[in-house]
Amino acid sequence: MDSQVENAIEIAFNPASDPKLKAQAFDFLNNLKSEPQAWQVCLALATREPRSSEVVRHVALQVVNEAIQSSQLDVQGLSYVKDSLMSYSKKVYGGAGGNLEQDPLTIQNKIAQTLTCLFVALYNTVWPSFFDDIMALTTTDSSLTRSNASGVRLYLKVLISIHDEIADVLVSRSSADRQRDSDLKDLVRQRDSKKIAQTWQEILSQWKTRDGFILGDCLSTIGRWASWIDLSLVVNDTILQSLFELISSPPAAGGNNPTGNVLEVTLNTFIEILGKKMKAGDKIELIEVLRVNEIVSRLIASPPLHELRSTSSYDTDLAECVAKLVNNTVFDIVNVLDSVSNKATVERANIQLTAFLPHVLRFFSDEYDEICSSVIPCLIDLLTYLRKRPNRDADYSSVLPPILQAVIAKMRYDETSSWGNEDAQTDEAEFQELRKRLQVLQQAVASVNQALYIDTISNIISTAFENFLTQRGQVDWRDLDLAMHELFLFGELAMRYGGLYSKTKPVSPAAERLIGLMYSLVESDIASFPHPSVQLQYMETCVRYYTFFEANPQLIPRVLENFVNFVHSTHVKVRTRSWYLFQKFVKNLRQHLGNIAQNVIQAVGDLLPIKAELREENSDDDGMSSDENNQSAHAIFDAQLYLYEAVGCICSVHAVPVESQVSFVRSVMNPLFTDLEVHLGQARSGDERAALQVHHLIMALGTLARGFSDWTFVNLSPPTFVPPSKAISEEFGRTAEAILVALESLNASAEIRIAARFAFSRLISVLGNQVLPQLPRWIDGLLSQTSSKDEMALFLRVLDQVVYGFKLEIFEILNILLTPFLQRLISGISEPTLGTDDEIQLAELKREYLNFLLIIFNNDLGPVLVSEANQPIFETVISTIEHFTRDISDFPTAKLAFSVLSRMTNSWGGPDVPNSSLAVQPSLPGFDRFMIERFSPLCWALPSNSNFNPKDAQGKQVLNEAASLQQAILSKTGQAYLSWLGDVELKGMGMDESTINEYLQALCNLDQKKFRQYFQALVQKSR
């Protein structure tokens, strides 16, 4: 069997093996693990001479490990593995094995794992001498010193593996494993921890100048084990002396050191030791004993971090390691200050904090972001602590200014950066992410000392603006970029209460300062600076602080002039971004713009012509906002739409007379109409580019309408709608007619339908009730035979707005179009699904269909469903709702279906019948029996399904709606419903008399919440 297993492993892990043969080999190996004797075969393969291949031995040892961990071996089997593996280890790694070929590193690690598995299984029972036996491998026959290199390496690997198995806090473990690990650690501390610590001293003494591998593993072991053994075993004169020597004069380790530079490993050991949990006073003492400040000061002054800091030889790895040590130390110091009140301890902690603050600022100001980021956490902790202090303005007053100055300096682009360079996009993204983290620090400083923050930031901004004026624009773009960035962030404090002004006065000192800075921004003409970063931030800032311009409208024309310049920028990122920001600016300030429409339309008119371009088949445009992609025709058109919306906003301001509004709108729309007429015929003939041009023109017309009036019916009552003037409505009526002609000609195209639906939803507010006569044509065009379920669902949402907005005028139109409209919807719902996406769209369509029915009832339009024209389809509508209530695969739809039935019951059931003496008077004749006989049984249809889970959260919501429906029916029909339930429905379900009486009592007497709970409990009880 040995050869079979060996061949299977070789085949399975040979990249050149036949795939079918490889699959058979893996199946064989997976089945092998369940064989009771497999571990014996694999143990032999791993330890035999001559040795098997590396991959065979690796897999074989893994099989042995899994057998031990899964408790497949009894004590006898475990002892056999122990004896075999120790016999092999003595021959290969023991003092007598010096002439044997050493195992590869992967096999050494695997043997260490197997010994760890044996340690976990046997240490507390039959192998208490585990560590003694492994330690014995480190010596030679002729000496008791730890002079056997191969044995020392294996011993240290075993110690590392044991820590990772029983003490690594990052590994999630079961409660049983946690208890097992705790017991094992207690045993190690009791039996062997002193001996193990002694071996570390001996190994450090003997190998620190001879072997970088051994030294690195020994330091890693000390750092790991320090977290759970007695700290005095690690923090003692002997080990500390060795660590200090390594810090002072790091040796040149022989060969390659897999654990990294010895100095960095030593620092990581300090970090691990400092990370040990202990009392606050003890932690300060540990920082003092370890002389961390002295170590950090020495390393900062060392050539790799000082003389070479500004050169390519700067040791960034070492700097990052020292920064982490500083960060962790300061974190501990702050934690002590925040958690103790002992005066002596606090005084010692303050001394350490004062000593470490320059170190923090040194690494925080490092030009490498990775190093800077390493100390940000401790700065945040420090500032959080300062914010919580009652006398925060007085205490540590000297700490905050250098921190804030360092944060601001780090916000600035360094001298080597080149903004907008495509090759440096990754660096740019990382820098912007760093700025976000720095912003958190600035806000923390502001929360500690607001006055300091306001003065410092405003001085930085003012100085940059003054330099720009005095030096006639000959300033470093990085300084202006920093000033603009800080001005943008200043609003986090200045606009904390929602705006800058309260009754024409600044709401806070920060707001007052920001207002002054905004005056300086506009008057200094920063917008004329040619760098794209400054131009972009100028626009972003003006848009953010538009309330400043509301209070100072005299400045708007000057800023608008700058925006008009930017929309013509030769820099693609500035140009396309400015189109969006221009729209945002004029939209926010549309009531303060004055009669400037003609000038603006003339200024941007050259940017309005649309030119559609088909995407190349091999285009890799994925929508990312790189410069290259921003130049694509698709991206430019998307940005161009913002210009149309901006033009619409400017044309619609109150200061422009209606006649002028009409004239301006025509000047924009007529070229679009002409272009549409030219390309429509070509599109009918199958010209793809012409069809895309038609799509773009429709989108532009719809966007122009949205800019003219962005009013919607959502969350507003119709009386608040102020219809546009008749002249404007007629003008946009031409737009609607042009789009309808295009839609009717090309409604087989999904892209045209999407554009037309987009335009229709935006034309509603400018057309007013003129949209109603066109509604049948819109429905015919947008709901073609090829329309997808997603299209139908989206159109339903738009139609909901129309019904809601014009409920007093829409009845006759709705009465005419409802039957064919519902037929198309029900047909779409009935179509088979073709995959997961189709199923998702179907579920959405069903819910939008039900929402549409709710909109009809909620707006008192229910009679349209049972009018003479629509009576034939009423039964079909009811049947679809009934079907949805029974659908166990779609609980949200079932819940909504019950809601429709409840609303229908309340609308047509007539007045409530509080007692049996009152006659039932349904608004719809015969509807009382219809509710009882058709609606009531539906409440039990879903719970009766054997696959229904009454404990499912969504299923419970459906039961709640079913319970509410029953209460609604009872409120309208009274005793007639109770008699039906008791004599027919519940009895027919097989419910006993006692339960029926109890149920009827609950239905009559409980409120909605309690009856829902009762109904759920009854359904669960019946399962």
Side-chain angles (χ1 to χ4, degrees):
M1 187 175 180
D2 292 21
S3 59
Q4 281 184 296
V5 174
E6 187 170 12
N7 289 335
I9 296 173
E10 294 284 7
I11 293 170
F13 292 91
N14 185 351
S17 297
D18 178 80
K20 292 183 179 179
L21 199 59
K22 180 178 286 194
Q24 293 175 3
F26 274 116
D27 289 340
F28 173 80
L29 293 175
N30 288 331
N31 293 330
L32 177 69
K33 294 177 182 179
S34 60
E35 292 291 330
Q37 305 305 317
W39 63 270
Q40 293 178 317
V41 176
C42 290
L43 182 63
L45 285 174
T47 58
R48 75 180 185 187
E49 291 286 350
R51 298 175 188 175
S52 305
S53 67
E54 183 176 346
V55 67
V56 169
R57 298 178 67 198
H58 190 278
V59 174
L61 284 170
Q62 182 60 33
V63 172
V64 174
N65 292 350
E66 292 181 11
I68 297 173
Q69 291 171 329
S70 60
S71 302
Q72 294 182 25
L73 281 68
D74 57 16
V75 174
Q76 185 177 357
L78 290 169
S79 297
Y80 177 78
V81 175
K82 165 206 156 190
D83 293 340
S84 298
L85 199 59
M86 285 305 298
S87 175
Y88 173 83
S89 298
K90 288 176 182 177
K91 285 190 289 184
V92 177
Y93 299 98
N99 296 325
L100 295 180
E101 180 185 355
Q102 293 297 298
D103 286 325
L105 186 61
T106 56
I107 300 302
Q108 294 180 35
N109 292 334
K110 211 66 188 174
I111 289 175
Q113 288 180 14
T114 307
L115 288 169
T116 300
C117 292
L118 292 171
F119 163 81
V120 172
L122 299 176
Y123 181 65
N124 64 343
T125 54
V126 300
W127 200 3
S129 62
F130 174 87
F131 289 105
D132 292 326
D133 294 345
I134 305 298
M135 287 178 194
L137 301 175
T138 64
T139 62
T140 60
D141 292 338
S142 58
S143 173
L144 295 178
T145 59
R146 312 295 173 187
S147 55
N148 180 27
S150 58
V152 170
R153 292 192 189 101
L154 180 64
Y155 168 66
L156 294 173
K157 289 182 183 299
V158 170
L159 293 183
I160 291 173
S161 179
I162 287 174
H163 166 83
D164 293 344
E165 177 64 28
I166 69 172
D168 190 341
V169 295
L170 298 179
V171 177
S172 178
R173 296 178 173 85
S174 66
S175 56
D177 285 345
R178 288 197 297 271
Q179 184 59 52
R180 178 207 67 186
D181 296 344
S182 179
D183 294 340
L184 285 171
K185 286 187 286 188
D186 287 341
L187 276 176
V188 172
R189 285 189 284 258
Q190 178 184 341
R191 292 177 180 173
D192 295 303
S193 59
K194 292 182 179 179
K195 288 186 289 186
I196 293 170
Q198 182 62 36
T199 63
W200 294 335
Q201 297 179 19
E202 295 166 358
I203 292 170
L204 284 175
S205 175
Q206 190 155 355
W207 292 98
K208 65 183 176 184
T209 59
R210 296 170 55 190
D211 192 303
F213 284 93
I214 292 176
L215 179 58
D217 280 349
C218 186
L219 292 172
S220 296
T221 306
I222 293 172
R224 283 173 162 87
W225 281 58
S227 64
W228 57 278
I229 63 172
D230 187 346
L231 193 59
S232 64
L233 299 176
V234 174
V235 182
N236 55 59
D237 291 343
T238 305
I239 290 183
L240 287 183
Q241 184 62 34
S242 296
L243 295 178
F244 291 147
E245 289 176 3
L246 292 171
I247 291 289
S248 300
S249 53
N256 294 322
N257 186 351
T259 60
N261 182 279
V262 170
L263 180 54
E264 294 169 27
V265 177
T266 308
L267 290 172
N268 283 326
T269 304
F270 273 96
I271 293 172
E272 294 282 358
I273 294 172
L274 281 168
K276 186 176 179 66
K277 294 181 179 179
M278 61 186 69
K279 295 178 180 179
D282 294 337
K283 179 60 66 87
I284 291 297
E285 184 176 358
L286 179 62
I287 293 172
E288 294 170 343
V289 169
L290 294 180
R291 293 155 39 190
V292 183
N293 177 47
E294 178 185 334
I295 291 170
V296 171
S297 300
R298 182 180 300 167
L299 289 173
I300 288 176
S302 66
L305 301 188
H306 184 62
E307 285 88 344
L308 302 178
R309 181 176 177 180
S310 301
T311 71
S312 58
S313 299
Y314 180 45
D315 194 338
T316 55
D317 291 336
L318 176 60
E320 188 172 356
C321 195
V322 179
K324 289 178 180 177
L325 177 60
V326 170
N327 179 76
N328 291 11
T329 306
V330 173
F331 173 83
D332 287 334
I333 295 170
V334 172
N335 185 55
V336 170
L337 290 170
D338 196 29
S339 60
V340 302
S341 56
N342 181 274
K343 187 175 180 180
T345 302
V346 170
E347 185 176 344
R348 291 164 64 193
N350 277 323
I351 292 172
Q352 291 293 331
L353 181 61
T354 303
F356 270 91
L357 186 59
H359 304 329
V360 173
L361 296 178
R362 152 64 181 88
F363 290 109
F364 180 75
S365 62
D366 198 283
E367 64 178 297
Y368 289 90
D369 293 344
E370 298 85 353
I371 299 170
C372 165
S373 298
S374 296
V375 295
I376 289 179
C378 74
L379 271 176
I380 293 175
D381 288 332
L382 173 59
L383 293 170
T384 302
Y385 161 70
L386 296 180
R387 186 181 64 214
K388 292 188 294 184
R389 293 182 61 83
N391 52 343
R392 57 193 183 191
D393 292 334
D395 293 347
Y396 302 98
S397 57
S398 61
V399 171
L400 291 176
I403 292 178
L404 183 56
Q405 291 291 347
V407 172
I408 296 171
K410 198 63 186 175
M411 283 273 196
R412 185 181 184 273
Y413 279 95
D414 62 47
E415 300 300 329
T416 62
S417 58
S418 54
W419 188 94
N421 188 338
E422 188 172 343
D423 295 334
Q425 284 185 355
T426 300
D427 292 340
E428 171 70 15
E430 291 176 351
F431 178 66
Q432 294 304 327
E433 189 61 33
L434 175 62
R435 273 186 163 180
K436 292 178 182 177
R437 301 184 67 188
L438 295 172
Q439 179 187 351
V440 174
L441 284 175
Q442 282 196 170
Q443 291 173 348
V445 172
S447 66
V448 177
N449 191 329
Q450 189 175 116
L452 171 68
Y453 173 81
I454 292 173
D455 290 341
T456 304
I457 297 297
S458 58
N459 286 340
I460 291 289
I461 299 170
S462 299
T463 300
F465 290 173
E466 290 169 6
N467 290 340
F468 173 77
L469 286 173
T470 57
Q471 299 176 27
R472 299 181 179 180
Q474 301 302 310
V475 294
D476 192 327
W477 69 268
R478 298 171 182 83
D479 295 327
L480 279 183
D481 171 87
L482 174 63
M484 295 300 299
H485 183 67
E486 291 290 4
L487 180 58
F488 186 84
L489 297 182
F490 200 76
E492 297 293 332
L493 177 63
M495 301 182 68
R496 180 178 294 175
Y497 305 106
L500 293 175
Y501 296 93
S502 175
K503 297 180 179 179
T504 72
K505 293 184 178 180
V507 295
S508 66
E512 183 177 5
R513 193 69 63 91
L514 178 58
I515 291 168
L517 293 172
M518 287 300 296
Y519 272 113
S520 299
L521 173 68
V522 177
E523 293 171 353
S524 63
D525 199 26
I526 295 293
S528 65
F529 192 76
H531 196 276
S533 173
V534 176
Q535 294 176 349
L536 284 169
Q537 292 200 77
Y538 175 89
M539 291 185 287
E540 299 278 2
T541 302
C542 289
V543 169
R544 182 174 197 187
Y545 303 131
Y546 73 90
T547 55
F548 165 78
F549 296 100
E550 287 179 334
N552 300 279
Q554 73 279 6
L555 300 176
I556 293 177
R558 186 171 183 176
V559 176
L560 269 179
E561 183 180 349
N562 292 327
F563 267 98
V564 170
N565 292 331
F566 293 143
V567 298
H568 291 89
S569 172
T570 56
H571 192 284
V572 64
K573 190 170 184 179
V574 173
R575 184 172 67 252
T576 53
R577 180 64 177 169
S578 69
W579 294 351
Y580 165 74
L581 293 171
F582 177 53
Q583 174 265 333
K584 291 283 288 183
F585 187 74
V586 299
K587 183 177 181 180
N588 289 331
L589 297 169
R590 66 193 307 167
Q591 303 307 327
H592 303 272
L593 295 180
N595 194 354
I596 60 170
Q598 184 173 2
N599 294 337
V600 174
I601 292 173
Q602 290 176 350
V604 302
D606 60 315
L607 301 173
L608 296 179
I610 292 172
K611 183 180 179 181
E613 294 181 17
L614 294 173
R615 291 185 180 181
E616 297 179 8
E617 292 185 4
N618 297 325
S619 173
D620 60 352
D621 181 12
D622 57 1
M624 293 191 305
S625 57
S626 68
D627 282 3
E628 179 180 343
N629 286 329
N630 275 340
Q631 296 181 63
S632 71
H634 178 70
I636 289 175
F637 171 68
D638 284 345
Q640 195 176 18
L641 290 178
Y642 291 117
L643 284 179
Y644 277 93
E645 186 170 351
V647 169
C649 287
I650 293 171
C651 290
S652 65
V653 300
H654 295 322
V656 179
V658 172
E659 305 80 39
S660 298
Q661 291 183 10
V662 172
S663 174
F664 297 151
V665 169
R666 282 179 182 171
S667 70
V668 177
M669 291 196 302
N670 284 342
L672 299 179
F673 291 156
T674 302
D675 202 7
L676 185 62
E677 186 177 0
V678 169
H679 286 88
L680 192 56
Q682 300 172 14
R684 287 196 199 99
S685 302
D687 188 323
E688 289 186 29
R689 200 207 71 79
L692 184 60
Q693 181 76 7
V694 172
H695 166 275
H696 285 10
L697 292 169
I698 294 173
M699 295 284 287
L701 289 168
T703 305
L704 180 68
R706 177 170 64 180
F708 202 93
S709 175
D710 59 357
W711 188 91
T712 64
F713 297 108
V714 179
N715 297 327
L716 294 174
S717 56
T720 65
F721 175 47
V722 179
S725 66
K726 184 178 179 181
I728 293 296
S729 293
E730 289 176 353
E731 201 60 40
F732 279 102
R734 295 173 57 221
T735 300
E737 182 63 29
I739 295 173
L740 279 170
V741 170
L743 175 62
E744 289 164 346
S745 300
L746 302 171
N747 77 334
S749 167
E751 291 298 317
I752 297 299
R753 293 196 303 270
I754 290 171
R757 186 180 67 247
F758 171 90
F760 173 63
S761 66
R762 287 148 180 83
L763 283 166
I764 295 171
S765 59
V766 289
L767 288 175
N769 58 14
Q770 289 191 31
V771 75
L772 298 180
Q774 296 178 334
L775 199 54
R777 295 174 64 191
W778 283 108
I779 292 176
D780 288 342
L782 293 174
L783 295 185
S784 72
Q785 294 302 313
T786 57
S787 294
S788 68
K789 297 177 179 63
D790 188 46
E791 287 183 71
M792 288 187 252
L794 291 171
F795 179 70
L796 275 170
R797 294 179 190 172
V798 179
L799 193 57
D800 288 346
Q801 293 186 42
V802 177
V803 173
Y804 175 70
F806 303 105
K807 68 178 182 178
L808 301 179
E809 305 159 274
I810 200 173
F811 185 91
E812 292 302 326
I813 296 292
L814 200 59
N815 190 43
I816 295 171
L817 61 83
L818 188 62
T819 290
F821 176 62
L822 291 178
Q823 286 173 338
R824 180 66 192 97
L825 290 178
I826 294 170
S827 173
I829 291 172
S830 304
E831 291 173 358
T833 55
L834 303 175
T836 303
D837 290 344
D838 212 20
E839 290 175 358
I840 294 172
Q841 291 181 10
L842 174 60
E844 188 65 26
L845 176 58
K846 290 190 292 187
R847 288 192 279 274
E848 290 301 331
Y849 165 71
L850 293 170
N851 272 322
F852 176 69
L853 295 178
L854 280 175
I855 287 288
I856 288 178
F857 282 106
N858 290 338
N859 289 281
D860 301 322
L861 294 169
V864 77
L865 286 168
V866 290
S867 68
E868 184 177 352
N870 298 306
Q871 187 70 45
I873 202 174
F874 179 72
E875 178 59 31
T876 304
V877 172
I878 293 297
S879 296
T880 59
I881 300 173
E882 289 176 332
H883 173 73
F884 295 154
T885 62
R886 300 188 187 99
D887 190 355
I888 196 169
S889 65
D890 189 354
F891 285 148
T893 300
K895 174 189 174 185
L896 196 56
F898 274 113
S899 297
V900 173
L901 294 179
S902 295
R903 191 69 185 86
M904 193 180 294
T905 298
N906 289 322
S907 295
W908 290 340
D912 288 354
V913 184
N915 56 66
S916 58
S917 63
L918 295 177
V920 177
Q921 298 177 341
S923 303
L924 195 65
F927 192 69
D928 52 336
R929 298 306 305 175
F930 191 86
M931 289 186 292
I932 292 173
E933 296 175 7
R934 292 286 294 272
F935 292 178
S936 181
L938 297 174
C939 301
W940 298 94
L942 201 62
S944 299
N945 190 312
S946 59
N947 295 320
F948 178 73
N949 178 12
K951 295 183 180 180
D952 182 273
Q954 290 186 323
K956 287 182 178 180
Q957 292 179 1
V958 178
L959 292 179
N960 286 341
E961 292 302 323
S964 296
L965 176 59
Q966 294 175 77
Q967 289 185 309
I969 296 172
L970 176 65
S971 70
K972 302 300 180 183
T973 60
Q975 185 60 43
Y977 184 41
L978 295 176
S979 299
W980 165 269
L981 285 174
D983 299 338
V984 180
E985 186 173 323
L986 300 181
K987 187 173 291 186
M989 292 167 49
M991 192 177 292
D992 61 78
E993 197 69 30
S994 173
T995 305
I996 291 176
N997 292 331
E998 177 188 300
Y999 185 80
L1000 296 179
Q1001 288 292 324
L1003 181 60
C1004 291
N1005 300 325
L1006 297 180
D1007 61 22
Q1008 185 184 67
K1009 180 178 179 181
K1010 291 182 179 178
F1011 182 68
R1012 284 180 169 187
Q1013 295 171 346
Y1014 172 82
F1015 188 55
Q1016 286 186 23
L1018 181 64
V1019 171
Q1020 292 184 23
K1021 182 180 178 181
S1022 64
R1023 303 303 289 178

